[in-house]
Amino acid sequence: MTSFSYTTGFPVFCVGFTRDDDVILAGGGGATRSGVKNKISIYKVDNASKSLKPVVEKELSREEDAPMSISVHPTESALAFGINSATNKVEAGENENCRIFQYSEERIESVHNKGTLASRNSDDYQKVTRFSKDGSVLATGGTDGVIALLKYPSLTPVMPATQFKGHEILDIDFSADGAHIAAVSAMNLWIISAETGRVLEAITNPVLNKKKPFVFRTCRFGRGAFSNILYTVVNGDRNQKPFVCMWDATKWTRIRTLTVGPKPITTCTISPDGKLIAFSSSDMGLRICSSKSLQVLMTVPKVHTLPVTSLAFNSDASLLVSGSVDGTCRIVSVPKTFPKNNNFVMLILALLFLFLAGVVQVYQNTLA
């Protein structure tokens, strides 16, 4: 495994890959007077020199918020972001928080803006941005509890926006066929019809043991051979390990639950072929797991000095990029194959060692 870090000069809130596997980094200082610019930048990965080569960059208004969430269109050179308008516009109910940009090697240009949030509080923002698998629908989720489904590229509503008052939308994902979306707040998992907006299933208790407090963090549908599985991440307090639940995406019953690492998970992403799922945690480490078994295949410790905000695989899952508010991104080379789990072999060796130790002890007692 090889990896390298790249310093951006601005807090990174969004990462992704273009269809040509160039890295997208977006973030900034927001509407503050910190002097840190808000930017969308695209880079080519130079594995030989272990660095990123700038391709094109777009500076955004200092009066507006930084890009806080991203989704890359699957078939077009288009990007969707969550970017709050200037504070006075937010307070006036004129927040155009959903932004569409087109990109090339020459420029990144804004092509369409749309307001989807109900809140007039500038602290609320579009936390989640997600294209459907075919790119025909765009979903947004806000910290004010609003979920909006928009037709792409017109951004006209598929249906009236749904608001879950008192809840912050933490993650959203589309099923492979686009018929359903899964959404999570801290205490709720909703399965919603992407056609009508009706809540089909609601799971309100992420706790395995009701005496222990846990909260949902992310939700992602599997891909490829695992498209009939929904993965949810659940975090506990500092004394509880986080775990991942696998759900049958036809019956909405839990299939399997497994702990993944010792510290709370901050974000996750799934490879395009659905075989790998990557997690970042509050200890600033990364873990890549098998989507089938949730077995940890690779661990990369301390990739940042502050928690990871966003993760993305490239098209063939040979690279994983992470971004952080520490102003860096990390590019990790992902191997095509991983060493087989040798836990069983180690168990046999341990038992053999204990057996031999017992034989030696009996022999020594006999001589005595």
Side-chain angles (χ1 to χ4, degrees), residues 189-204:
L189 164 64
W190 298 285
I191 307 301
I192 303 168
S193 168
E195 182 179 357
T196 66
R198 185 168 64 91
V199 176
L200 305 176
E201 296 285 340
I203 298 168
T204 59

Side-chain angles (χ1 to χ4, degrees), residues 130 133 171-183 189-192 218-224 226-232 247-250 252 268-271 274 277 291:
R130 192 84 63 216
K133 301 301 185 283
D171 205 2
I172 293 175
D173 201 22
F174 283 90
S175 60
D177 61 4
H180 304 101
I181 64 170
L189 164 64
W190 298 285
I191 307 301
I192 303 168
T218 67
C219 62
R220 297 297 170 92
F221 281 99
R223 301 178 180 178
F226 307 100
S227 60
N228 63 335
I229 295 175
L230 175 68
Y231 302 87
T232 58
W247 304 81
D248 184 321
T250 58
W252 309 116
C268 77
T269 189
I270 293 181
S271 61
I277 181 167
S291 297

Side-chain angles (χ1 to χ4, degrees), residues 157-171:
V158 174
M159 60 189 181
T162 302
Q163 184 169 21
F164 296 94
K165 292 185 177 181
H167 295 276
E168 175 180 339
I169 305 304
L170 300 176
D171 205 2

Side-chain angles (χ1 to χ4, degrees), residues 20-77:
D20 295 327
D21 283 345
D22 293 337
V23 175
I24 307 161
L25 304 176
T32 64
R33 301 298 177 185
S34 64
V36 180
K37 296 178 180 179
N38 300 320
K39 293 183 179 181
I40 303 170
S41 303
I42 298 178
Y43 305 83
K44 287 193 178 296
V45 180
D46 188 337
N47 283 314
S49 63
K50 293 186 177 181
S51 66
L52 299 180
K53 305 297 183 183
V55 175
V56 64
E57 183 175 87
K58 174 78 170 178
E59 285 192 12
L60 306 173
S61 170
R62 292 190 179 186
E63 302 300 317
E64 299 186 326
D65 203 359
M68 300 302 293
S69 58
I70 183 177
S71 188
V72 181
H73 196 278
T75 61
E76 298 182 11
S77 298

